[in-house]
């Protein structure tokens, strides 16, 4: 049995420090993530924590005036999408460097779930929020509703909400990807996107339409499919595009889920005997694993989801203290790169 | 300005209940996830919460005797792997159904980080832990060290630790996958796995070796590569296999990361002019998106990471109260299916 269960007395942080031969501050720092503590010292502290059965009571700390919960609330739209797994990883890494942990929730693109999740996070006294917004009304995100809790939006903005945001260069990336297809001689280019209310979908469509307009091409409504949120519906949309009498010779896909759906439809047609030369080339906003092994050429508009997560966390942490705490809202736009599929 | 910042008085739960025309219990239930509360009533409660600027103080609640923090600590090895993103999603879904949130940490397969993460979670008074163990010593996971906090291991077990676990049928899946290659006439079969100390790697190797032994085949040490933890090292291992004078005609890959690395090496060789008929067939433990579009045949040993996460959460929640609280450790083995690559 451990010391904890013998009589119920908890060892104090001073006892742990004495056991490890360090200061109580070093014990605190180690348990808060180990920033500025040498690895060998951390090991010694953790050994003492284990030997004495010490449990830091985070929640008790959070209730002392001036002490914080050490939690960052992170609400994303789809953790099953590898893009958002990497995004959450980036937020977690930077939060951990600063002794914070993330409380993670999945909204499934449902504004009602987002609303409830944010209320729940606030109830748990998170120190800050990172949100990939699902779109829709934003009253629950307004600063006067969140009180002192800072929020950073990622990937998407919310109209009428003036808070920190980390975005991708959606318009520029979509513009360059579409122009590459035009330069290769394509004039009938399909568009696969997600629902119109989603901020990134609008921005990427804007870049697509701008590139066409420069060449005097009006987007053909038959070629624009903008309601797909998952792989299945994207596959159906691709099927409709390829079934047109005058099918597109290339397709611009505005996100990972649409790209996977489009490629699944291509795979089905190849299996049914289609000639690969009859199938469209694809430009995909969002990279995906093994893009270089696809049967049709896939160029990707690439960016680093983990880096986006890290940047969102950095913006948020800068709001938790110091001079940045009450500065004006900041917008960071992360670069994207257009790359043909390659094996490297 | 909100009511919260006017004078600083927080509205009480009774005021919220009165405003919404419901009982305080209904307000509590709604904020705890909405179990047993009709959607329209939840909407009314949340509207009142917003209008009054009510913040539930979870941490204060957790310190009252008999009240819990409502947090589940989840430590996984690699959130950047889509498999674990889906796993975390499954845990989160079931936790949310029961009014809990997950605190998520990434160990990066590093036992020291795992140790620190668990100590941190305990300090935050999590109600329970879900862990994909990184291997190595387990003293920090022993019941006497965790006190009253239940733990569920997922994907992997830890030798000498007698706690609840949710595993895949690793041995059976690897056995069936390898036998399918033998039935197709292959006798020189390569093996790609992760480090030997990782439980699943050992189990999958066991299934592989058992299928070979039944046909009187001793595994050739040249064909067994077992140290790869990421895509890059897996690709190097595949290169070594294919560079052998007597290269394998088929490869058994024991996880998603190894499969992606192996396929990247195949892609590189195709680009350099290799004939696809000279390249090995692959059986992959773990499915991956677009497997059906690969240039070589890929059969997958498939399973549902999200379901694994849901089952782990269910096991854990059953320990948080009621008759299961102190029963013997349970082992749930989830089925896997062997399927050739297909477009559906």
């Amino acid at each position: 049995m451990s010391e904890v269960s013998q009589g119920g007395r908890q060892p104090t942080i001073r006892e742990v420090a004495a056991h490890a031969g360090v200061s109580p501050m070093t014990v605190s720092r180690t348990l808060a993530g180990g920033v500025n503590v040498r690895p060998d010292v951390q090991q010694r502290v953790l050994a003492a924590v284990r030997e004495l059965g010490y449990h830091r009571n985070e929640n008790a700390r959070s209730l002392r005036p001036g002490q914080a919960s050490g939690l960052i609330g992170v609400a994303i739209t789809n953790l099953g999408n590898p893009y958002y797994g990497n995004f959450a990883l980036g937020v977690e890494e930077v939060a951990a460097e600063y002794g914070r942990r993330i409380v993670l929730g999945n909204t499934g693109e449902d504004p009602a779930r987002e609303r409830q999740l944010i209320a729940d996070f606030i109830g748990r006294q998170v120190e800050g929020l990172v949100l990939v917004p699902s779109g829709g009304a934003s009253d629950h995100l307004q600063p006067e509703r969140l009180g002192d809790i800072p929020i950073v939006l990622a990937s998407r903005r919310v109209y009428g909400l003036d808070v920190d945001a980390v975005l991708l260069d959606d318009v520029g990336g979509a513009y360059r990807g579409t122009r590459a297809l035009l330069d290769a001689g394509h004039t009938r280019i399909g568009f696969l996107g997600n629902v119109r209310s989603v901020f990134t979908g609008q921005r990427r469509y804007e870049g697509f339409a701008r590139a066409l307009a420069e060449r005097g091409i009006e987007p053909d409504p038959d070629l624009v499919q903008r309601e797909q949120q998952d792989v299945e519906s994207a596959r159906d949309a691709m099927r409709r595009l390829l079934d047109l009498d005058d099918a597109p010779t290339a397709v611009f896909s505005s996100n990972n889920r649409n790209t996977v759906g489009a490629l699944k439809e291509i795979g089905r047609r190849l299996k049914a005997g289609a000639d690969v030369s009859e199938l469209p080339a694809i430009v995909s906003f969002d990279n995906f694993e093994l893009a270089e092994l696809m049967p049709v050429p896939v160029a990707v508009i690439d960016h680093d989801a983990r880096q986006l997560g890290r940047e969102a966390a950095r913006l948020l942490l800068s709001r938790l203290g110091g001079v940045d705490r009450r500065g004006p809202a900041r917008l960071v736009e992360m670069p994207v790169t257009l790359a043909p599929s390659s094996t490297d």
Side-chain angles (χ1 to χ4, degrees), chain A:
Chain A
M1 295 302 284
S2 76
E3 298 80 350
V4 175
S5 51
Q6 288 168 350
R9 193 182 80 79
Q10 291 271 353
T12 67
I13 197 163
R14 286 182 181 283
E15 287 165 352
V16 173
H19 196 86
V22 300
S23 70
M25 176 60 82
T26 300
V27 176
S28 284
R29 283 204 180 122
T30 299
L31 291 175
V35 177
N36 290 332
V37 183
R38 289 208 320 268
D40 58 315
V41 175
Q42 289 188 41
Q43 283 309 314
R44 222 159 68 221
V45 169
L46 288 173
V49 163
R50 285 192 303 277
E51 280 161 35
L52 300 183
Y54 173 75
H55 289 181
R56 182 169 65 150
N57 187 334
E58 280 290 346
N59 290 337
R61 287 177 70 238
S62 76
L63 289 179
R64 279 188 237 136
Q67 293 279 11
S69 69
L71 296 174
I72 305 291
V74 180
I76 62 184
T77 47
N78 180 10
L79 194 52
N81 180 341
Y83 180 75
Y84 287 115
N86 274 299
F87 172 79
L89 178 59
V91 177
E92 195 265 351
E93 284 172 342
V94 172
E97 284 164 22
Y98 289 85
R100 267 74 172 198
R101 296 291 164 202
I102 65 170
V103 194
L104 186 70
N106 197 66
T107 66
E109 301 277 5
D110 177 351
R113 270 163 77 181
E114 173 186 301
R115 194 174 280 271
Q116 190 166 344
L117 201 51
I118 297 292
D120 181 288
F121 285 162
I122 293 170
R124 291 176 198 280
Q125 297 193 317
V126 294
E127 289 188 64
L129 294 162
V130 174
L131 171 69
V132 179
S134 57
S138 67
D139 52 299
H140 62 302
L141 302 174
Q142 294 294 339
E144 63 268 22
R145 196 57 81 203
L146 298 181
D148 259 349
I149 303 174
I151 185 169
V152 174
L153 304 181
S155 285
R156 307 167 179 173
R157 284 181 93 173
V158 175
Y159 294 111
L161 186 64
D162 190 29
V163 300
D164 290 345
V166 188
L167 302 179
L168 297 173
D169 179 11
D170 296 299
V171 181
Y175 170 81
R176 281 152 62 199
T178 307
R179 208 176 49 181
L181 292 173
L182 291 163
D183 287 345
H186 297 285
T187 54
R188 282 190 66 74
I189 303 174
F191 182 91
L192 296 174
N194 48 8
V195 289
R196 284 154 209 248
S197 68
V198 171
F199 181 82
T200 46
Q202 292 197 348
R203 302 226 307 166
R204 292 175 190 176
Y205 183 76
E206 184 186 328
F208 169 78
R210 189 186 294 177
L212 292 185
E214 278 187 6
R215 306 285 168 104
I217 300 172
E218 185 86 13
D220 177 346
D222 283 350
L223 295 185
V224 175
Q225 300 280 340
R226 295 180 69 178
E227 304 292 335
Q228 306 84 245
Q229 292 286 56
D230 57 29
V231 168
E232 267 321 294
S233 56
R235 187 173 163 176
D236 291 342
M238 183 69 164
R239 183 177 297 147
R240 288 193 295 277
L241 286 182
L242 299 185
D243 281 346
L244 290 173
D245 287 337
D246 194 6
T249 60
V251 170
F252 177 90
S253 164
S254 65
N255 65 24
N256 176 297
R257 297 296 83 190
N258 272 287
T259 303
V260 170
L263 287 165
K264 281 186 173 284
E265 177 59 16
I266 283 177
R268 197 189 63 78
R269 286 175 187 247
L270 285 172
K271 209 168 180 182
D275 190 312
V276 71
S277 67
E278 293 161 8
L279 293 167
I282 290 182
V283 168
S284 166
F285 207 117
D286 293 345
N287 204 347
F288 59 102
E289 279 192 326
L290 301 173
E292 73 269 22
L293 290 180
M294 293 298 115
V296 295
V298 182
V300 295
I301 298 159
D302 196 13
H303 48 92
D304 189 335
R306 190 163 165 181
Q307 208 53 47
L308 192 82
R310 293 184 64 91
E311 190 59 33
R314 270 193 290 259
L315 273 183
L316 186 69
L317 286 160
S318 77
R319 294 291 187 189
L320 298 185
V323 289
D324 279 351
R325 183 152 185 110
R326 295 193 189 281
R330 292 163 300 182
L331 174 64
V332 176
E333 206 171 72
M334 310 277 287
V336 301
T337 56
L338 174 64
S341 53
S342 96
T343 52
D344 257 300

